[in-house]
Amino acid sequence: MAAPSQPQKSTYDVIVIGAGIQGSFTAYHLAQRHKDTLLLEQFLLPHSRGSSHGQSRIIRSAYPQEYYSRMMPECFRLWQQLEAETGTTLYRQTGLVLLGPPGEPELEACRRSLGVDEVLDAAALAQRFPGFRLQAGQVAVLDSTAGVLFADRALRAVQEVFRRHGGTLRDGEKVLRIEPGATVTVTTTAGVYKAPRLIITAGAWTGAFVEQLGLHLPLQPLRIDVCYWREKQPGSAGLGSVSPSFLTLGLSQAPHGIYGLPSIEYPGLMKVCHHHGSPIDPEKRDQVPSSAPGPDIAVLSSFISSYLPGLETQPAVRETCLYTNTPDEDFILDRHPKFSNIVIGAGFSGHGFKLAPVVGKLLCQLSLGEKPSYDMAHFAITRFPGVLGAA
């Protein structure tokens, strides 16, 4: 981060707006390619106003969509590379249990993506992981490669390597205006910057930025309740730090899915969240939510009483996070349809953190005019009709 006393440089090879995990990994790849890169962040770092804060995220090989599961081996390798570059532990292997009804299409697709035939019934799951109780007729698939990423630590690590490779990170600078052209001009609260390439990875604020550029993307920011649930008996078997993460698929009790992580962040508290939330203006992200339990808390309480009977049924700690969802919950990774030197990465829909090393690589490739390493059809802006208006 540039000190106030330093002369402020104004011209770069690439400007990246938004220093969450996606923008930071994008900048990291650009700097490794010896591109003079400016990474702009509107808030002072570290902060908790976006989607990349907090101590933990799930990483898994299992994915129902083949286009994500194909990326995961490289994601694991790049996370390990970042650990080696910084000498920091960023990942703990815990395994992941996928819970759902037998034959459920997404659960079956996950099983195929893992290449495993082992499916646990209620008795086998309870024997292996005593903290979990499946309902009659339901099954579990185990992803043994999965684990927990230490999110705050990971974000700091990738930004550290970016700066080490000569990148410039300026936080506390809100972008006020973007002027497209062969050279893009970005005006912030602290200066004016120019570059032939711009990448927008601004999370819940992306919609407002691209509106300036005549693009109307169907991005919906949601405020998610992030809840931590106390063990009834501290250190009880199956609910401590050795227990797996979990994810539900196709359960009628949780139409949007529920996920959980072992008690790594707060001792004796398991993180269990509903993959759903309430529409929110990101500018009001820090307003204190009502203390009354909402519908998502009720869904979680009911789930915990049935599936995790070793936990109290009311959350001990309640925090919030932002998701920015697309209608199909697939990412947007594409060039602006009119301004090809402006690239957009958005709509990570609550499942993008683990994929950030490869997402950053793809956005870097798009910006440099290279052929992306993966098929980009599922991430194209054009899958949404009527997005291009008058700039």
Side-chain angles (χ1 to χ4, degrees), residues 99-390:
L99 311 174
E104 199 281 329
E106 289 198 335
L107 188 63
E108 279 297 299
C110 285
R111 185 184 63 77
R112 288 193 300 271
S113 77
L114 293 169
V116 300
D117 293 321
E118 184 183 21
V119 177
L120 307 177
D121 61 15
L125 182 67
Q127 183 175 8
R128 189 128 174 207
F129 304 114
F132 289 88
R133 180 192 292 163
L134 273 180
Q135 304 305 293
Q138 294 175 349
V139 296
V141 172
L142 178 62
D143 178 353
S144 59
T145 68
V148 175
L149 289 168
F150 303 123
D152 285 344
R153 196 184 300 175
L155 186 62
R156 289 195 300 271
V158 69
Q159 291 169 353
E160 174 191 327
V161 176
F162 166 65
R163 290 196 297 266
R164 197 188 296 167
H165 282 276
T168 302
L169 172 54
R170 299 187 67 89
D171 63 347
E173 284 198 36
K174 185 173 184 176
V175 172
L176 303 175
R177 188 166 65 256
I178 299 168
E179 298 168 59
T183 297
V184 182
T185 302
V186 177
T187 302
T188 76
T189 49
V192 178
Y193 307 99
K194 295 179 182 290
R197 304 175 186 89
L198 173 68
I199 302 172
I200 301 173
T201 52
W205 288 266
T206 299
F209 283 130
V210 299
E211 286 276 348
Q212 298 179 37
L213 304 170
L215 202 56
H216 309 291
L217 296 180
L219 297 170
Q220 177 60 71
L222 300 175
R223 183 164 63 188
I224 309 296
D225 283 309
V226 180
C227 299
Y228 300 83
W229 311 75
R230 192 178 309 280
E231 299 172 14
K232 291 177 180 176
Q233 295 181 340
S236 57
L239 293 176
S241 59
V242 296
S243 73
S245 302
F246 75 86
L247 181 66
T248 72
L249 293 167
L251 292 185
S252 58
Q253 302 96 318
H256 299 282
I258 291 173
Y259 64 93
L261 295 86
S263 54
I264 291 173
E265 298 188 31
Y266 300 109
L269 301 183
M270 190 171 182
K271 181 177 180 178
V272 182
C273 309
H274 195 200
H275 195 75
H276 186 57
S278 306
I280 184 71
D281 177 348
E283 292 295 336
K284 299 176 181 177
R285 160 71 174 81
D286 288 339
Q287 290 185 0
V288 178
S290 166
S291 58
D296 293 317
I297 303 294
V299 168
L300 289 169
S301 295
S302 174
F303 174 84
I304 282 169
S305 64
S306 297
Y307 289 82
L308 296 165
L311 299 180
E312 300 285 354
T313 56
Q314 292 301 315
V317 176
R318 186 176 160 196
E319 299 172 351
T320 59
C321 185
L322 285 184
Y323 286 4
T324 305
N325 280 34
T326 61
D328 56 14
E329 297 191 359
D330 283 329
F331 310 157
I332 292 171
L333 309 173
D334 204 352
R335 298 182 183 92
H336 191 291
K338 187 175 178 183
F339 309 114
S340 60
N341 60 341
I342 298 177
V343 170
I344 299 156
F348 296 100
S349 302
H351 67 104
F353 198 99
K354 70 185 83 61
L355 287 143
V358 166
V359 165
K361 177 182 174 181
L362 291 169
L363 292 173
C364 170
Q365 290 170 333
L366 285 171
S367 182
L368 298 180
E370 299 172 357
K371 182 180 178 181
S373 302
Y374 297 86
D375 180 7
M376 302 295 281
H378 293 280
F379 312 120
I381 287 172
T382 51
R383 74 185 193 269
F384 302 116
V387 295
L388 189 61

Side-chain angles (χ1 to χ4, degrees), residues 15-147:
I15 297 171
V16 180
I17 298 175
I21 196 66
Q22 312 295 346
S24 294
F25 255 116
T26 302
Y28 161 99
H29 284 288
L30 288 163
Q32 288 194 321
R33 302 282 296 276
H34 307 293
K35 300 302 177 186
D36 188 10
T37 305
L38 171 64
L39 178 58
L40 292 169
E41 170 55 48
Q42 66 173 320
F43 301 116
L44 292 170
L45 293 170
H47 70 82
S48 61
R49 296 174 181 175
S51 302
S52 295
H53 67 283
Q55 296 180 53
S56 63
R57 297 290 190 281
I58 292 173
I59 182 169
R60 54 188 163 111
S61 296
Y63 245 107
Q65 300 91 346
E66 190 180 355
Y67 44 94
Y68 291 123
S69 64
R70 279 198 298 264
M71 296 177 183
M72 286 314 303
E74 185 175 12
C75 287
F76 274 99
R77 287 197 301 273
L78 289 171
W79 282 116
Q80 290 164 358
Q81 177 182 307
L82 183 61
E83 284 186 317
E85 286 177 308
T86 57
T88 305
T89 300
L90 302 177
Y91 163 73
R92 179 184 295 178
Q93 188 171 358
T94 65
L96 172 76
V97 176
L98 298 142
L99 311 174
E104 199 281 329
E106 289 198 335
L107 188 63
E108 279 297 299
C110 285
R111 185 184 63 77
R112 288 193 300 271
S113 77
L114 293 169
V116 300
D117 293 321
E118 184 183 21
V119 177
L120 307 177
D121 61 15
L125 182 67
Q127 183 175 8
R128 189 128 174 207
F129 304 114
F132 289 88
R133 180 192 292 163
L134 273 180
Q135 304 305 293
Q138 294 175 349
V139 296
V141 172
L142 178 62
D143 178 353
S144 59
T145 68

